[in-house]
């Protein structure tokens, strides 16, 4: 079993090299390739990726769903592993995924903790140990066998936001979903720019709009209006 790691990027020069080097160091022997799909970053993300010897594609569509689908089309692995650029994986990620697939899980993710000592963020991270859809998200990374990914027709590019929830919802209808008890680290930068109440309200609003089948462009507009980005 071989893993293709796919990373969508947009202005991730601060994180991308460390992530790639981590995968290269700890991914053997399971990781076959790393594919970065960049959405025309205006920093030096693309140049930094090229310097690592990693495959880099110019994103034909500037959305995570489109970028990840684009990466999946050239991926040669039996398993696709989708990762956001600002996460810190556990050293055993490749062995964990290999073992889960051998146990019959065709898809799954990790629990996570924030790279912050703030007690409120520790408390919030507690709930992602549960297996409900509302406890999921793209920050937790996602592995899925290529066979199941193709069967589900990949990410639905209609979703310019909430694309991960849509795919995980469809996965859960077809296959058991593995939530690893180990925790990856995700960036708390959104909470550093906004209050945790504001972020949680924005997240809840986006999820409820998604649940009520609102147009993704409306969800995206509402979400961005509620939060400040740096």
């Amino acid at each position: 079993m071989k893993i293709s790691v796919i990373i969508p990027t947009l202005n991730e020069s601060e994180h991308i090299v460390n992530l790639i080097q981590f995968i290269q160091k700890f991914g053997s022997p399971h990781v076959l390739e790393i594919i970065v799909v960049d959405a025309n970053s205006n920093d030096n993300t693309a140049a930094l990726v090229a310097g690592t010897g990693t495959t880099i594609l110019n994103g034909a569509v500037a959305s995570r769903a489109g970028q990840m689908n684009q990466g999946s089309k050239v991926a040669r692995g039996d398993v696709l592993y989708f990762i956001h650029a600002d996460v810190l994986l556990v050293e055993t990620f490749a062995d964990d995924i290999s073992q889960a697939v051998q146990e019959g899980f065709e898809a799954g993710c990790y629990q996570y903790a924030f790279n912050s000592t703030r007690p409120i963020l520790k408390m919030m991270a507690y709930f992602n140990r549960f297996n409900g859809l509302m406890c999921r998200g793209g920050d937790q990374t996602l592995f899925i066998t290529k066979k199941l990914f193709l069967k589900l027709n990949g990410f639905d590019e209609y979703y310019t936001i909430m694309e991960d929830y849509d795919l995980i919802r469809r996965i859960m209808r077809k296959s058991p979903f593995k939530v690893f008890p180990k925790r990856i680290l995700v960036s708390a930068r959104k909470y550093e720019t906004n209050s945790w109440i504001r972020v949680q309200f924005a997240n809840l609003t986006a999820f409820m709009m998604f649940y009520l089948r609102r147009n993704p462009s409306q969800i995206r507009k509402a979400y961005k209006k509620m939060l400040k980005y740096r």
Side-chain angles (χ1 to χ4, degrees), residues 82-101:
F82 298 101
I83 304 175
H84 289 183
D86 58 353
V87 304
L88 178 61
L89 304 175
V90 297
E91 295 179 2
T92 58
F93 76 92
D95 288 334
D96 294 340
I97 293 170
S98 176
Q99 181 63 34
V101 173

Side-chain angles (χ1 to χ4, degrees), residues 18 102 126-127:
N18 287 339
Q102 291 178 34
Y126 172 86
F127 295 97

